[in-house]
Amino acid sequence: MKIVPEDMEYPVFQKEFDGKRPSWETLTPKQQQQWITDMATYAAMIEIVNDGIGELVEAIRQKGMLDNTVFLFLSDNGATKEGGYLGQLMADLSNTPYRSYKSQCFQGGASAPFILSYGDAAKNKMKGQICRQSAHIIDVLPTCMDIAKAHYPTAYKKNLPGTSLLPSINGEKIKSRELFFEHQSSCAIISGNWKLVRGSRNEPWELIDLSKDPFETTDLSAQYPKEAKKLEAKWNKWAESSDVFPLENKRWTERINYYIERNPDQSGKE
């Protein structure tokens, strides 16, 4: 499919393994077998999903609804390193060639494949092609509304983020904009070719030139401090206006228990 160029040199990420990234040969036979079993199970799950989508499309076809249907398929954002040592190794493999994992705003935790296809094949102007324009999950609702020719209530429209991806689906360019991210205190902003990102509120910001370094291997913040500060100010402004603060990096269960104890009337039991 030419998603990744054949001659591309894959990055080797060491930071995530404290500088001691293991190789296959360093694993014990038991670990190797467990990896094989787990990855085979994962592959089987993907095959079942694929079959299920085919059955869904066929059912819609048989009902005579295919030409009036639009299919959207969005993967989850990055493989998770949960599951211990082997879990992290498998996540590292699944996210290749991108850096880091789900829950963080590096490309390995924020990138996801997205497929939009009309049931009416004649409307798929980019059939067989890959669109490489940047998009965000916030764009899905505006895109669906655009396809349906629906209108968002004017009184609330200023609170509707995102933009319609319909132009890019039709082979056109969408208007350039800045994209913002935050998850469990991992933060990022993408502005043009620049990306400012940090793994958590306790880690320093890193400045990445995505046009030359899409796998986020080189921090340029010391080389371009003004650019880093400018993007940080933009991110802070967005965070203030979007109620992102205070940043929270407690683990999931710890966070739930903390806020239940702090706000017992908001436990969700009623």
Side-chain angles (χ1 to χ4, degrees):
M1 295 179 65
K2 297 184 179 179
I3 295 177
V4 178
E6 293 181 2
D7 59 348
M8 189 189 79
E9 183 176 344
Y10 291 91
V12 177
F13 299 111
Q14 295 284 3
K15 182 180 179 181
E16 285 69 21
F17 295 92
D18 296 325
K20 299 177 181 178
R21 192 176 189 276
S23 64
W24 175 258
E25 291 75 16
T26 61
L27 301 179
T28 66
K30 183 178 180 180
Q31 288 175 321
Q32 291 177 348
Q33 187 55 53
Q34 185 63 53
W35 188 334
I36 292 171
T37 300
D38 289 351
M39 291 303 290
T41 303
Y42 173 69
M45 292 169 59
I46 299 300
E47 184 174 356
I48 292 170
V49 169
N50 188 53
D51 291 344
I53 292 173
E55 292 172 2
L56 175 65
V57 173
E58 184 56 32
I60 293 175
R61 187 195 312 276
Q62 291 180 7
K63 290 178 178 291
M65 301 165 56
L66 189 62
D67 287 350
N68 196 35
T69 300
V70 178
F71 299 94
L72 289 80
F73 182 88
L74 176 64
S75 167
D76 202 351
N77 54 311
T80 174
K81 67 176 181 178
E82 295 172 321
Y85 183 60
L86 282 183
Q88 182 175 355
L89 286 173
M90 288 188 286
D92 192 72
L93 172 63
S94 295
N95 284 345
T96 298
Y98 294 115
R99 175 183 173 186
S100 196
Y101 316 97
K102 180 190 293 186
S103 84
Q104 294 199 309
C105 295
F106 294 100
Q107 296 295 77
S111 300
F114 176 63
I115 299 172
L116 188 150
S117 177
Y118 289 94
D120 182 356
K123 294 181 179 179
N124 293 320
K125 297 182 180 180
M126 291 189 67
K127 183 178 180 179
Q129 300 181 56
I130 298 174
C131 175
R132 300 187 182 277
Q133 297 187 62
S134 296
H136 196 290
I137 187 67
I138 59 176
D139 300 330
V140 171
L141 176 57
T143 301
C144 291
M145 293 178 62
D146 199 3
I147 292 172
K149 294 181 172 56
H151 299 282
Y152 200 77
T154 304
Y156 304 100
K157 198 163 187 178
K158 66 179 181 179
N159 297 320
L160 177 65
T163 188
S164 172
L165 300 176
L166 206 54
S168 63
I169 294 164
N170 294 325
E172 304 168 10
K173 292 284 187 181
I174 57 174
K175 185 178 179 181
S176 177
R177 67 268 171 68
E178 293 176 328
L179 300 176
F180 299 87
F181 308 82
E182 188 277 330
H183 188 264
Q184 293 183 227
S185 88
S186 180
C187 320
I189 170 177
I190 295 178
S191 178
N193 292 329
W194 289 116
K195 179 177 181 180
L196 190 71
V197 58
R198 59 179 174 176
S200 74
R201 65 180 184 179
N202 300 318
E203 298 176 44
W205 289 98
E206 298 182 37
L207 182 65
I208 309 295
D209 183 350
L210 291 177
S211 66
K212 299 176 181 177
D213 182 23
F215 310 134
E216 301 168 296
T217 61
T218 305
D219 175 19
L220 300 175
S221 59
Q223 187 174 347
Y224 300 99
K226 290 184 179 179
E227 189 66 40
K229 286 295 182 183
K230 181 178 73 173
L231 293 179
E232 182 181 1
K234 287 185 176 182
W235 187 90
N236 283 326
K237 183 178 180 180
W238 166 80
E240 288 282 2
S241 64
S242 302
D243 296 323
V244 173
F245 293 121
L247 294 179
E248 178 61 88
N249 66 339
K250 293 182 178 67
R251 292 185 178 276
W252 183 254
T253 302
E254 180 187 0
R255 189 187 335 166
I256 294 298
N257 292 335
Y258 172 80
Y259 284 105
I260 286 178
E261 182 179 351
R262 186 172 178 178
N263 304 290
D265 59 320
Q266 300 179 24
S267 65
K269 293 180 179 179
E270 298 179 358

